[in-house]
Amino acid sequence: VESLFLAITSIFQSFALLIGPNYGIKDLSGPIGIYTISSEVLKFGLSTILIWIAYLSINIGLMNLMPIPALDGGRLVFVIYEMIFRKKPNKKIENYTIYAGVILLLMLFIVVSFNDILRILN
């Protein structure tokens, strides 16, 4: 349990660093970067691999809870809206918001993957 809180804390600290002036989107890793790091982690044995898998799982879970409309966290925002105002949000606006979230996530995926490829080539 202690290591779970440590992992969650380090993930939130990483988010905070991305907002600061020293780090940015160029420092994120997507699937290609995760694959590269995972192949390095394999060299350190089973316990390191299990810790890495746990860390990735926690990270993906937290990312999924972010209030981005295309993710579960975005759905939670709509549910909370419904609880507060006791009415469903306008379906058209909800759909457009989700579409915008998907487009933004795809753009982020492309940029991060491009940066991963540049990092490998350098």
Side-chain angles (χ1 to χ4, degrees):
V1 175
E2 185 179 320
S3 56
L4 171 67
F5 291 117
L6 182 64
I8 291 172
T9 304
S10 69
I11 291 168
F12 280 117
Q13 288 171 343
S14 297
F15 286 148
L17 287 173
L18 286 173
I19 296 169
N22 298 326
Y23 299 98
I25 196 167
K26 69 183 182 328
D27 299 303
L28 293 176
S29 286
I32 297 168
I34 292 170
Y35 172 79
T36 304
I37 295 167
S38 297
S39 62
E40 290 296 316
V41 168
L42 284 173
K43 299 174 185 174
F44 295 102
L46 182 62
S47 63
T48 307
I49 294 168
L50 293 176
I51 292 168
W52 175 244
I53 291 170
Y55 188 79
L56 282 176
S57 297
I58 294 166
N59 200 333
I60 290 169
L62 288 175
M63 292 295 291
N64 196 32
L65 288 176
M66 291 183 72
I68 298 171
L71 302 176
D72 289 338
R75 184 68 201 133
L76 281 174
V77 170
F78 289 118
V79 169
I80 292 169
Y81 172 88
E82 200 172 327
M83 288 172 48
I84 293 171
F85 296 104
R86 306 246 188 252
K87 67 176 186 172
K88 290 189 178 280
N90 182 321
K91 198 64 175 167
K92 196 173 190 178
I93 291 173
E94 185 178 352
N95 286 339
Y96 283 135
T97 306
I98 291 170
Y99 296 148
V102 168
I103 290 169
L104 288 173
L105 283 174
L106 287 173
M107 288 172 38
L108 179 64
F109 177 80
I110 290 168
V111 169
V112 169
S113 295
F114 181 74
N115 286 339
D116 284 344
I117 292 169
L118 288 178
R119 207 173 295 126
I120 290 171
L121 294 177
N122 289 336

